[in-house]
Amino acid sequence: MPTDFWGRIIYLLDQYGLSFIKGAGVTMVIALVGTFIGCIIGFIVGIIQTIPVSRKDSIIKKVLLRIIKFVLNAYVEVFRGTPMMAQAMFIYFGSAALFNINMSMWFAAFFIVSINTGAYMAETVRGGILSIDDGQTEGAKAIGMTHVQTMLYVILPQALRNIMPQIGNNLIINIKDTCVLSIIGTVELFYTTKGVAGAYYTYFESFTIAMVIYFILTFTCSRILRFWEGKLDGPDSYDLATTDTLAHTSGLYGYNEKEKEE
């Protein structure tokens, strides 16, 4: 074992480089899958929380919606108000003690990250939906669209663009927070690093390598997400629609041209 810092770094990479790569791979898989499923949960919960109740609705619908919204609000508050490490311990060991359910490492990791992300995404989606101007909903209803159609074709496409930064932020957080799953035996990057550090008592060198890997993962994902956000924004210039739908608008009046005139 070399005595200098960089010599130990090179030695650990030579001996355990593949282990670090495997740990990083497990971290990314859990973060990506957990974020994806969590977004689905968040969209479902967020949409249900914003279902309007009118006076014309039956008493059964009103009571049922109140109960469902109460349960979903409780889920959001509990999982946003407690740390993921405590949730992991409670779910993994509690399910075995109370219900005799022995979760596998992969299932437990996906389940814990997904429901935790879903709670945060639910509030993000709810806020994204409420941020859309009420005139959008009123216009959709004026042309005969149902609430479901309004959500699918009018509100959600606009809300999605608004909440894209938060989806990316949740992915970055999950890449880092998967380290708490080491407490239930998930062999991700942090768990692997602890094993390497304990083998030679090289904690400083081992976790330096881990920090660099975490940074590479988060930085790469953030750049990709920024690029995706730019694509969702569309081109820098576009043509304004005219009142005559039969008229060909291309080249007649562009957005950038209007800005120059002003």
Side-chain angles (χ1 to χ4, degrees):
M1 171 69 72
T3 56
D4 62 299
F5 174 75
W6 293 110
R8 291 187 176 187
I9 291 287
I10 294 172
Y11 179 82
L12 292 174
L13 288 174
D14 180 63
Q15 295 293 318
Y16 297 101
L18 186 60
S19 297
F20 280 113
I21 293 173
K22 287 182 178 179
V26 172
T27 292
M28 281 304 300
V29 170
I30 294 173
L32 288 169
V33 175
T35 303
F36 177 74
I37 298 175
C39 285
I40 295 175
I41 295 172
F43 268 93
I44 293 173
V45 175
I47 290 171
I48 293 175
Q49 287 178 322
T50 56
I51 294 177
V53 178
S54 64
R55 295 180 179 179
K56 297 179 180 179
D57 293 332
S58 64
I59 187 65
I60 297 176
K61 180 181 178 180
K62 291 180 180 179
V63 172
L64 188 60
L65 272 177
R66 282 183 179 274
I67 294 173
I68 294 174
K69 288 182 178 182
F70 175 80
V71 172
L72 294 180
N73 286 333
Y75 154 69
V76 170
E77 293 300 329
V78 168
F79 280 91
R80 288 176 70 234
T82 55
M84 188 188 291
M85 182 178 289
Q87 296 167 16
M89 295 286 286
F90 179 81
I91 293 172
Y92 186 74
F93 295 107
S95 61
L98 296 177
F99 307 107
N100 198 29
I101 299 175
N102 296 312
M103 297 183 181
S104 66
M105 180 271 290
W106 284 105
F107 179 81
F110 291 145
F111 183 72
I112 292 164
V113 175
S114 297
I115 59 176
N116 181 273
T117 304
Y120 285 94
M121 279 304 304
E123 284 298 284
T124 301
V125 172
R126 186 182 68 84
I129 292 173
L130 295 178
S131 68
I132 305 302
D133 189 83
D134 292 339
Q136 300 285 318
T137 303
E138 293 171 1
K141 290 182 178 179
I143 62 174
M145 296 180 74
T146 63
H147 177 73
V148 175
Q149 290 174 327
T150 302
M151 276 292 168
L152 288 177
Y153 302 115
V154 179
I155 304 300
L156 287 182
Q158 298 179 73
L160 178 61
R161 175 60 190 89
N162 293 340
I163 66 178
M164 268 301 299
Q166 185 58 37
I167 293 176
N169 190 46
N170 282 334
L171 175 60
I172 300 302
I173 292 172
N174 285 338
I175 292 174
K176 297 180 293 182
D177 282 359
T178 50
C179 64
V180 305
L181 298 175
S182 62
I183 201 169
I184 61 172
T186 305
V187 188
E188 38 68 63
L189 181 56
F190 184 82
Y191 189 97
T192 301
T193 305
K194 284 199 305 180
V196 174
Y200 294 99
Y201 295 99
T202 53
Y203 288 92
F204 181 43
E205 295 83 355
S206 299
F207 280 97
T208 298
I209 296 172
M211 285 182 62
V212 171
I213 295 175
Y214 275 120
F215 176 77
I216 292 173
L217 296 178
T218 55
F219 183 80
T220 303
C221 288
S222 66
R223 294 302 100 183
I224 293 173
L225 289 166
R226 289 278 180 86
F227 176 77
W228 190 12
E229 287 177 29
K231 289 294 184 182
L232 288 176
D233 285 338
D236 292 333
S237 61
Y238 52 88
D239 293 331
L240 295 176
T242 62
T243 54
D244 186 1
T245 57
L246 298 178
H248 183 62
T249 61
S250 178
L252 293 179
Y253 198 70
Y255 177 73
N256 283 349
E257 294 175 2
K258 181 181 177 183
E259 285 188 333
K260 290 178 182 178
E261 290 176 6
E262 293 177 350

